[in-house]
Amino acid sequence: MRHKNGIFVIGILIIFLGSSCVGGKYTYEFDSGKELDFSTGKWILNNVQSNSKIRYSKKLYEESYEEFKKILGDSLIDLIALRNSSLIGPDIKFEPSRSELKELHRNSDSDFLINVRGEIISNNASSFYRNNHSSSYATSNRSSVAIRIYDLKSGTLISSSNANAIDTESHSELDKDGALNWTTRAEPMMLRAVEGLILKYKKHRLDK
């Protein structure tokens, strides 16, 4: 009976972790371009860069596209669709040169480029709590997101922003209760970080 109960509890935990809200702590920083006018021009969302698994890189692009679409509407251009009608190279750098930006402007007839990069920094904390009351440890899951927005016509960077996400797990021998610590994986936090960062652009847009 105890064995069956244990399996049942583990099953509930898996469901809970898969469907619960993403935790962690988030910080957002703008080096430049916190307030932008999104009312004019055509905006290209580049393919995202990420060191996470392919499915999370795909989700990072989908999340970025969905959130910027809420701001830009039909002015946001999908890069795949753009390549069907324009002579666009296979890769657009995260930090392209001025000449590369101006060339993209000529070839695409677009005005702005949005670049998004996600990074998994550490993924060491467990998805389940540790039940070892005799050890002490501290570890964390961390990820980050960077957004760069360029004016293609002038070939200049007009916005630079970053988001950082962290969730820590720790246990001390002095904690008699065992310190049951729930942690999230770095990948879901990366997705939530990009959503939160783009919401900052929406909040501070000049053309409200």
Side-chain angles (χ1 to χ4, degrees):
M1 185 68 178
R2 182 179 297 177
H3 177 68
K4 291 183 178 179
N5 288 340
I7 295 176
F8 175 77
V9 170
I10 291 174
I12 292 297
L13 294 179
I14 292 173
I15 294 173
F16 174 81
L17 287 172
S19 61
S20 61
C21 294
V22 179
K25 296 181 179 180
Y26 298 80
T27 57
Y28 303 96
E29 300 175 348
F30 279 80
D31 297 323
S32 62
K34 189 174 185 178
E35 299 177 338
L36 296 179
D37 184 350
F38 292 100
S39 64
T40 60
K42 297 179 182 179
W43 302 66
I44 303 171
L45 178 62
N46 193 10
N47 292 328
V48 304
Q49 298 181 10
S50 170
N51 64 342
S52 61
K53 294 180 180 178
I54 293 177
R55 63 190 179 102
Y56 283 107
S57 293
K58 182 179 179 181
K59 288 181 179 180
L60 181 62
Y61 176 84
E62 293 171 348
E63 188 70 29
S64 302
Y65 187 86
E66 180 180 342
E67 293 303 319
F68 272 116
K69 187 74 173 178
K70 294 176 183 177
I71 300 175
L72 293 163
D74 293 337
S75 297
L76 183 63
I77 302 173
D78 178 78
L79 188 58
I80 296 176
L82 182 63
R83 283 201 173 102
N84 292 332
S85 59
S86 305
L87 295 175
I88 306 299
D91 294 305
I92 301 175
K93 298 176 182 177
F94 184 73
E95 295 181 342
S97 66
R98 175 170 294 191
S99 61
E100 289 171 331
L101 291 168
K102 289 186 174 183
E103 181 180 3
L104 180 59
H105 171 65
R106 291 192 299 269
N107 293 338
S108 67
D109 192 29
S110 298
D111 303 287
F112 302 96
L113 171 69
I114 303 172
N115 281 343
V116 177
R117 180 168 64 194
E119 182 180 4
I120 304 303
I121 300 171
S122 64
N123 227 350
N124 301 316
S126 62
S127 297
F128 298 97
Y129 67 83
R130 302 190 184 192
N131 197 27
N132 185 349
H133 293 192
S134 63
S135 62
S136 296
Y137 61 85
T139 186
S140 66
N141 293 340
R142 298 178 60 195
S143 57
S144 66
V145 169
I147 293 179
R148 304 289 183 266
I149 301 179
Y150 297 90
D151 183 319
L152 295 178
K153 188 175 182 179
S154 63
T156 58
L157 175 70
I158 61 173
S159 180
S160 173
S161 62
N162 302 276
N164 294 285
I166 184 170
D167 198 12
T168 58
E169 178 185 39
S170 62
H171 170 72
S172 170
E173 294 178 359
L174 300 177
D175 191 336
K176 297 180 180 180
D177 294 330
L180 305 183
N181 293 282
W182 295 94
T183 61
T184 53
R185 302 293 289 172
E187 294 89 348
M189 288 197 299
M190 178 181 67
L191 300 180
R192 184 174 178 182
V194 77
E195 177 186 10
L197 188 54
I198 297 173
L199 285 174
K200 298 292 183 184
Y201 279 101
K202 183 177 182 180
K203 178 181 178 180
H204 296 285
R205 62 187 298 179
L206 294 174
D207 55 310
K208 294 180 181 178

